[in-house]
Amino acid sequence: MKKILDMISEEVMRAFEEAGYEAALGKVTLSNRPDLCEYQCNGAMAGAKKYHKAPLMIAQDVAAKLSDSRVFEMADAVAPGFLNLKVKNAFIKEYLCGMANDKKFGLKEPKKKTIIVDYGGPNVAKPLHVGHLRSAVIGESVKRIERYAGHKVIGDIHLGDWGLQMGLIIYELQLRKPELPYYDESFEGEYPKEAPFTISELEEIYPTASGKSKEDPAYKERAMEATFKLQSGVRGYRALWQHIIDVSVADLKRNYRNLSVEFDLWKGESDVHDLIPDMVAYMKEAGYAHESEGALVVDVKEETDTKEIPPCMILKSDGAALYNTTDLATIMDRVAQYQPDELIYLTDKRQDLYFEQVFRCARKTKLVKEDMELVHIGFGTMNGKDGKPYKTRQGGVPRLENLIAEINEEMLRKIKENSAAKNYEIDEKEAEETAKIVALAAIKYGDLSNQASKDYIFDIDRFTSFEGDTGPYILYTIVRIKSILNKYKENGGNLSQVSIQNACNDAEKALMLELTKFNAMMEAACEEIAPHKICAYIYDLANEFNRFYHETKILSEEDEEKKAGFIALLVLTRDILETCIDLLGFSAPERM
Ligand code: ARG
């Protein structure tokens, strides 16, 4: 389906042409004076110079050509030369019927791409903390949005599962349990199936080991040896490493499931370890990489740079691979396995320069084709009410689990309060489940409603409020619609037999106009990779719906056909809202 603004513009362009002016002047925009009109065209002002004519006269000529338009109920030329436009109810009705019959509500399929979204990025054996929230929440939404648009999208968690952190754990464990068979290089038997630690032990081992290595150089030396043995494939070290991965991944899966975040690939840095030597050799042979102060680097600065872009380091002077090296090898691997057209990475924006270097290096060394899109979405920090990075009351970096538990609790309190105020019975179990659903919406909407690159303040009181620009408000609106639809069904109505009618009042028309914006909004959200546009849209849509709801008797309407028209509009509003929240990564309960 065409976007409604394009259809309206075409109509005005036709009128410009018929009146003897250039068609391009007929571009229409949303009105910035909603009290006067719904849409406006400023083309007459732009045409005044070219046609040596007063803009108002041009606007009047055009308005005359629109007087019997099938699109406009009003096309007024007003001083100094604006065209104020209102569309016919029948025109909007027809447009909405088209949307209701289209499985993507009028959104056109773009040229299909294969996109890999690299998000989450947790490190194994370390608990998820609040710093991991944004990557997961934004990444999940980006994945869903691009998939909805029609692209083939693969989400990859890209685990931090290699390097010194693993050596540290392996060595610390050796000190604690030297009797384990993994350290005995002459051992040829089968290793135990059971891991020699639980997730809580693991989560304690890592920080302890990391702390010790910072104080004690000999300890660090041993941990580096363990890392080396692991990387060179010593059997016992690999087996132990696998235990660490398994225990940690099981816990990560549970955590991400609670966030409704789902990865297609659980690959990690370790997966490309074996690709590194060949990649490095290639970069050297092709003359891309050269030695600099003992290290191997690829220059990536460009003449047009306004700031210094340091070279991309491929190997350290001791020959060790770095974070860059793994990311480049991962790009190579992704190209070979999935032939993607685009790679999207989500990390804190402090990694902006890093990704600039990696992307330039990948292009320069021809790991990727010229037209491959490489996108880094660097997000801002989640701050506390004091404007500083969010901390626990004790001042530490909060675990993600605790943060979620805190919101769940607050939400549960509100749900109970609300059911008491509204006088409906809700048992403990339903209350808890509902609280979880609504809490997730509170967290995700609170994050996604901000442009990703901006910092935002994590404010539990505001995010969990049922009023204002919040997730719970959106859910509340959906629940309200569902409850009306349920009552309609209980009274014998059939939702599949209703169809949208012409608007009966201003509030209904406003709601209808808001609905027509869906495809244009989605197209922009998808092209610009901008979930916040969906949030802004559903907030406006929910507001328009609630205004309509307060101004219209829906179920008590006596004219059955009119009532059925309202119901059809409710169905479309619910479907669009539910589609949108699904793309943001949350869902609505049956009641709240
Ligand atoms: N594990 C990394 C970190 O904790 C994030 C990984 C982001 N993705 C990537 N391909 N570099 O900082």
Side-chain angles (χ1 to χ4, degrees):
M1 269 172 83
K2 279 187 189 163
K3 287 174 274 187
I4 196 158
L5 259 181
D6 291 346
M7 290 171 78
I8 295 173
S9 288
E10 274 168 26
E11 184 72 359
V12 178
M13 286 160 99
R14 178 191 59 76
F16 265 88
E17 218 169 16
E18 279 178 19
Y21 306 104
E22 182 189 7
L25 295 171
K27 215 173 140 28
V28 171
T29 57
L30 282 176
S31 160
N32 50 27
R33 282 293 302 275
D35 52 325
L36 299 177
C37 56
E38 293 152 0
Y39 299 93
Q40 67 185 61
C41 171
N42 305 348
M45 320 280 274
K49 221 175 170 180
K50 181 168 179 189
Y51 296 103
H52 305 288
K53 220 175 186 179
L56 186 60
M57 285 172 72
I58 300 179
Q60 281 164 345
D61 290 347
V62 176
K65 298 287 177 198
L66 289 171
S67 60
D68 58 355
S69 157
R70 66 179 184 92
V71 174
F72 300 110
E73 156 192 306
M74 176 192 106
D76 284 353
V78 298
F82 296 118
L83 270 172
N84 285 355
L85 306 164
K86 280 190 184 172
V87 288
K88 281 194 170 138
N89 283 347
F91 173 72
I92 316 175
K93 173 201 145 181
E94 220 175 284
Y95 194 83
L96 290 187
C97 287
M99 285 176 68
N101 286 322
D102 185 279
K103 76 176 192 307
K104 285 199 236 167
F105 314 109
L107 179 68
K108 269 213 214 108
E109 296 255 325
K111 191 171 167 286
K112 188 168 173 161
K113 295 190 274 193
T114 297
I115 303 174
I116 298 181
V117 186
D118 177 315
Y119 68 111
N123 299 314
V124 300
K126 296 188 206 170
L128 291 177
H129 58 78
V130 292
H132 294 106
L133 183 66
R134 297 209 75 190
S135 181
V137 168
I138 306 169
E140 180 69 19
S141 178
V142 168
K143 183 190 76 180
R144 294 180 184 207
I145 292 170
E146 301 301 323
R147 194 171 279 167
Y148 180 77
H151 298 301
K152 175 177 175 192
V153 189
I154 303 165
D156 184 1
I157 188 167
H158 198 72
L159 287 174
D161 62 354
W162 209 232
L164 184 60
Q165 54 163 336
M166 306 312 287
L168 283 167
I169 298 171
I170 293 175
Y171 177 56
E172 176 63 24
L173 201 68
Q174 183 175 15
L175 293 179
R176 295 184 188 190
K177 299 184 178 172
E179 72 286 359
L180 289 174
Y182 305 95
Y183 302 100
D184 174 2
E185 286 180 38
S186 63
F187 181 80
E188 285 182 355
E190 252 189 55
Y191 293 114
K193 293 244 173 329
E194 195 81 3
F197 40 69
T198 63
I199 184 68
S200 348
E201 283 164 334
L202 207 50
E203 285 177 353
E204 173 269 321
I205 292 174
Y206 175 75
T208 308
S210 168
K212 283 191 190 170
S213 79
K214 278 176 197 135
E215 313 243 289
D216 178 357
Y219 185 99
K220 186 168 179 191
E221 191 60 38
R222 298 298 307 275
M224 281 164 71
E225 272 167 40
T227 310
F228 181 76
K229 281 190 185 165
L230 167 70
Q231 301 197 341
S232 32
V234 172
R235 199 172 80 98
Y237 285 65
R238 283 286 169 105
L240 200 49
W241 172 83
Q242 193 61 53
H243 282 312
I244 301 174
I245 300 295
D246 292 346
V247 169
S248 184
V249 163
D251 190 61
L252 286 171
K253 285 200 167 153
R254 183 182 61 80
N255 274 289
Y256 282 115
R257 203 179 313 118
N258 284 337
L259 280 172
S260 290
V261 169
E262 225 176 285
F263 300 95
D264 305 294
L265 299 178
W266 281 78
K267 291 204 176 195
E269 295 175 352
S270 65
D271 283 283
V272 296
H273 176 72
D274 294 341
L275 303 178
I276 290 176
D278 282 353
M279 181 184 80
V280 172
Y282 156 74
M283 286 182 176
K284 274 200 225 164
E285 274 158 30
Y288 296 124
H290 65 90
E291 237 172 73
S292 166
E293 294 166 38
L296 191 69
V297 302
V298 173
D299 287 324
V300 293
K301 59 174 189 287
E302 287 165 11
E303 264 170 35
T304 50
D305 287 344
T306 49
K307 61 172 196 261
E308 167 94 15
I309 310 279
C312 189
M313 201 189 282
I314 308 296
L315 293 179
K316 283 200 279 195
S317 48
D318 64 2
L322 304 97
Y323 187 46
N324 306 350
T325 328
T326 330
D327 261 319
L328 288 163
T330 305
I331 291 179
M332 208 171 78
D333 188 38
R334 286 174 176 163
V335 169
Q337 307 249 2
Y338 306 101
Q339 298 84 45
D341 304 290
E342 181 170 3
L343 301 178
I344 301 175
Y345 294 80
L346 286 119
T347 76
D348 188 298
K349 68 181 172 203
R350 280 171 294 192
Q351 294 194 32
D352 276 353
L353 173 63
Y354 166 76
F355 277 102
E356 180 68 40
Q357 291 173 295
V358 169
F359 292 169
R360 284 186 183 193
C361 184
R363 280 193 202 289
K364 183 170 175 185
T365 60
K366 305 210 161 44
L367 292 185
V368 298
K369 285 209 265 330
E370 240 160 76
D371 59 355
M372 161 91 103
E373 291 175 76
L374 296 166
V375 183
H376 175 236
I377 300 179
F379 46 79
T381 310
M382 179 176 130
N383 287 326
K385 278 191 189 167
D386 58 359
K388 299 203 186 96
Y390 194 87
K391 291 267 155 64
T392 57
R393 277 190 208 99
Q394 293 73 36
V397 180
R399 286 180 71 139
L400 193 49
E401 255 180 296
N402 300 347
L403 179 88
I404 293 172
E406 204 178 323
I407 298 228
N408 282 349
E409 222 167 273
E410 175 60 15
M411 220 56 250
L412 183 61
R413 200 183 60 71
K414 288 213 166 122
I415 299 277
K416 285 182 175 165
E417 202 177 82
N418 198 50
S419 70
K422 294 255 157 76
N423 249 325
Y424 70 83
E425 287 282 318
I426 183 162
D427 65 42
E428 190 65 25
K429 191 157 169 277
E430 186 187 344
E432 273 171 23
E433 271 161 21
T434 305
K436 263 194 203 163
I437 297 175
V438 184
L440 191 62
I443 297 176
K444 289 194 169 185
Y445 190 95
D447 186 314
L448 294 168
S449 53
N450 302 284
Q451 205 176 323
S453 60
K454 302 233 166 84
D455 296 347
Y456 75 99
I457 290 179
F458 191 86
D459 179 342
I460 297 195
D461 295 332
R462 191 170 80 74
F463 288 4
T464 57
S465 168
F466 285 17
E467 277 151 43
D469 190 5
T470 70
Y473 169 67
I474 304 291
L475 297 193
Y476 203 78
T477 305
I478 295 176
V479 165
R480 171 173 278 167
I481 299 176
K482 284 185 181 177
S483 127
I484 301 171
L485 295 178
N486 282 338
K487 283 196 194 117
Y488 183 73
K489 282 195 283 191
E490 280 161 23
N491 297 335
N494 184 338
L495 295 188
S496 58
Q497 278 170 8
V498 294
S499 58
I500 292 170
Q501 305 294 324
N502 284 348
C504 302
N505 58 40
D506 285 351
E508 188 179 17
K509 190 176 188 191
L511 171 61
M512 291 170 96
L513 285 171
E514 198 58 43
L515 285 164
T516 63
K517 295 178 190 163
F518 173 80
N519 55 1
M521 176 285 295
M522 267 316 292
E523 194 178 287
C526 170
E527 272 170 19
E528 296 161 36
I529 320 183
H532 70 278
K533 298 212 157 169
I534 300 182
C535 294
Y537 174 70
I538 57 178
Y539 180 54
D540 287 346
L541 185 57
N543 282 337
E544 291 301 357
F545 171 78
N546 285 314
R547 193 183 128 207
F548 164 71
Y549 168 82
H550 289 300
E551 289 182 14
T552 317
K553 288 200 203 95
I554 300 176
L555 289 171
S556 55
E557 172 59 52
E558 275 157 22
D559 180 337
E560 281 302 324
E561 200 174 317
K562 219 169 160 186
K563 192 203 288 189
F566 293 152
I567 294 296
L569 193 59
L570 260 59
V571 170
L572 183 61
T573 307
R574 176 203 61 188
D575 289 349
I576 288 192
L577 286 173
E578 287 207 304
T579 299
C580 287
I581 61 169
D582 183 56
L583 299 182
L584 298 173
F586 57 89
S587 59
E590 281 312 305
R591 52 181 202 163
M592 61 191 265

